[in-house]
Amino acid sequence: MATADKVQHQVERIANHLERVQLAEYVQLLNSPRKLIVSNLIAGTARGVGIAIGVTIFSATIVYVLRQIGALDLPIIGHYIADLVESVQAHMSGGGFYY
């Protein structure tokens, strides 16, 4: 009887584990191409919007820091940083690259 109890305990443990990983829902998702496409489309759109917002915040921070460093009027690198900031601003306003 101890062996039957062990087997029963193992089966219950496996069933609980399968419920936790939601294997049935995953299989249903794979069997429904429309749901899979919609799910991936929404996830991709959210990921793209997140990347766009992140890059915008990061680049705005870099431009702000470079602008502050350029305002310090450092003897050697201040001129190069000012030129870099002007190039970025010209490109962002649609004027193309400024050299």
Side-chain angles (χ1 to χ4, degrees), residues 2 11 20-21 23 25 34 45 47 50 52 58 61 69 92 98:
V11 168
R20 271 185 283 164
V21 297
L23 187 63
E25 287 86 1
R34 182 172 288 148
T45 303
R47 195 172 298 122
F58 180 74
T61 303
I69 291 174
M92 287 173 54
Y98 171 75

Side-chain angles (χ1 to χ4, degrees), residues 33-54:
R34 182 172 288 148
K35 277 186 177 180
L36 185 62
I37 289 171
V38 169
S39 173
N40 283 333
L41 182 66
I42 292 171
T45 303
R47 195 172 298 122
V49 169
I51 289 171
I53 291 171

Side-chain angles (χ1 to χ4, degrees), residues 56-74 77-78 80-82 84-85 88-89:
T56 302
I57 291 172
F58 180 74
S59 61
T61 303
I62 294 297
V63 168
Y64 175 76
V65 169
L66 289 176
R67 206 181 243 182
Q68 296 301 317
I69 291 174
L72 292 176
D73 199 24
L74 299 174
I77 62 170
Y80 295 113
I81 292 174
L84 179 64
V85 170
V88 170
Q89 287 177 343

